[in-house]
Amino acid sequence: MTGGPVLAIETSCDETAAAVVDGRRILANVVASQAALHTPYGGVVPEVAARHHLGTVNAVVDEALAAAGLALDDVAAVAVTQRPGLIGALLVGVATAKALAYAAGKPLVMVDHLHGHICATWLEPTALDPPFVSLVASGGHTRLDLVRDYRAPRLLGQTRDDAAGEAIDKGARLLGLGYPGGPALERLASGGDRAAFRFPVGLGGAGERDFSYAGVKTALLYVVRDLGDGAAARHEDLAASYQEAVVRPLADRLVGAAVEHRVPAVSLGGGVAANGRLRELVAERAAEHGLRVAVPERALCTDNAAMIAAAAAFTPSIAWPDYLALDAVATSPPGGIAA
Ligand code: KG4
Ligand code: ZN
């Protein structure tokens, strides 16, 4: 779609988010996190997430419009995350977006959440233009895409089991840290020796672009068990070595893919992009090959609606009444992205 400010809504997991974006410029980006609500359970509870979205979404949309200084009538289109995600959570966003599009008499754009993560780099000030290779690593996804055109990212590789963030969260839990474990694990790792323990790296072959984290997670479990009472004294080394085993293949395969496909840049997205060791490794590897590294600010790497508005710029819009027939979908399509 083209032209004018877009109001976007994102409710695929545990963030209720709304944003107003005009071209590459973010006018408002509001995120209401439910993280504290789910902490006692050690993970996101789908039904709790959906109910909370329902109570929050209207206020978040109003706040985004107010921050942008616009009324609903001023927007050119409404965009929403259609897939993949928790179905009850997605439904709240999709139903809200349909109602707003109808009320304003504007078209609706149904966006793929992963497409959103990839398009976050299109926004200012990062403003990355293709071609580049994108890594999206979060609690739910781990994937590499070749982006020659923001309209059609090409999947190069993805995780065959756990997502990188999920592996980090599970490892953090084994070391007695709370949920989500990423920031706590990174803090613990900063005082440790990353070569102290040798954890296996999944799918290590040259040219491999997929990821696997089942092995490293199990390896940590056994090492902690075997150390017994001695494990507590080694927590910093365990955290540093485990973090290294999770982020090193991300950096290696991202830069390896960029070199293979002869593109001049790589991008990082998803919550794991906040990890300092991952950024350091990517920067080192990229410098060896003269590649630009594009990392949007943290608020655009974690789940947000500005990235959904960005992807909407590269997704066909749907007019009334056709969008009434479209619904939320929990899964990704076989090609990886519905763009
Ligand atoms: O994108 P995100 O906020 O939510 C989704 O999963 O969609 O990503 C959250 C993930 C969690 O697994 C969290 O532990 C991880 O990102 N994470 C980190 C760091 N900060 C967040 N992982 C490693 N180091 C960090 N500093
Ligand atoms: Zn996400």
Side-chain angles (χ1 to χ4, degrees):
M1 62 149 295
T2 50
V6 174
L7 168 67
I9 298 171
E10 150 68 42
T11 63
S12 66
C13 190
D14 62 343
E15 262 96 29
T16 316
V20 181
V21 173
D22 193 358
R24 287 182 158 188
R25 216 155 45 88
I26 299 171
L27 304 183
N29 190 21
V30 179
V31 179
S33 175
Q34 307 178 357
L37 212 62
H38 301 285
T39 302
Y41 307 103
V44 179
V45 183
E47 187 60 26
V48 172
R51 282 169 193 266
H52 197 74
H53 284 308
L54 199 55
T56 314
V57 68
N58 288 334
V60 170
V61 166
D62 288 348
E63 192 183 332
L65 285 169
L70 296 178
L72 182 59
D73 281 344
D74 300 327
V75 307
V78 179
V80 65
T81 306
Q82 180 187 21
R83 68 192 301 174
L86 304 171
I87 192 67
L90 287 165
L91 272 170
V92 174
V94 168
T96 305
K98 282 180 180 175
L100 290 170
Y102 173 67
K106 301 295 159 79
L108 186 68
V109 191
M110 299 285 239
V111 172
D112 186 302
H113 181 83
L114 278 309
H115 195 202
H117 274 298
I118 293 167
C119 291
T121 48
W122 179 71
L123 297 166
E124 289 172 357
T126 315
L128 179 66
D129 286 318
F132 64 96
V133 174
S134 147
L135 168 70
V136 176
S138 71
H141 345 281
T142 305
R143 52 181 291 147
L144 284 177
D145 285 88
L146 175 61
V147 185
R148 293 200 184 280
D149 181 334
Y150 274 112
R151 280 173 298 190
R154 197 183 112 203
L155 180 66
L156 297 177
Q158 60 189 328
T159 184
R160 301 213 188 144
D161 37 59
D162 285 0
E166 193 179 356
I168 283 178
D169 291 338
K170 288 177 178 170
R173 194 196 300 208
L174 277 172
L175 296 176
L177 305 170
Y179 171 87
L185 187 85
E186 182 170 9
R187 270 195 302 280
L188 190 62
S190 67
D193 174 4
R194 53 179 178 259
F197 294 90
R198 288 242 158 268
F199 288 116
V201 168
L203 306 172
E208 179 61 59
R209 299 289 174 249
D210 276 351
F211 304 92
S212 169
Y213 288 112
V216 66
K217 196 181 60 186
T218 310
L220 177 65
L221 178 72
Y222 286 141
V223 170
V224 169
R225 195 192 59 186
D226 293 348
L227 285 170
D229 290 344
R234 305 299 306 278
H235 270 186
E236 291 187 342
D237 288 345
L238 285 166
S241 302
Y242 185 76
Q243 173 179 266
E244 190 73 6
V246 174
V247 303
R248 188 175 280 273
L250 297 174
D252 287 347
R253 288 163 208 184
L254 171 63
V255 173
V259 171
E260 179 190 340
H261 293 281
R262 297 169 194 275
V263 298
V266 296
S267 73
L268 293 182
V272 182
N275 186 270
R277 180 61 185 154
L278 173 64
R279 286 171 179 239
E280 186 177 83
L281 280 171
V282 170
E284 274 173 21
R285 299 274 193 283
E288 288 164 16
H289 299 280
L291 302 173
R292 175 184 170 192
V293 181
V295 193
E297 65 170 292
R298 181 165 165 69
L300 295 176
C301 284
T302 54
D303 286 351
N304 67 87
M307 72 182 195
I308 302 304
F314 302 99
T315 308
S317 60
I318 307 156
W320 167 269
D322 296 355
Y323 56 73
L324 289 184
L326 299 173
D327 232 326
V329 185
T331 55
S332 284
I337 278 182

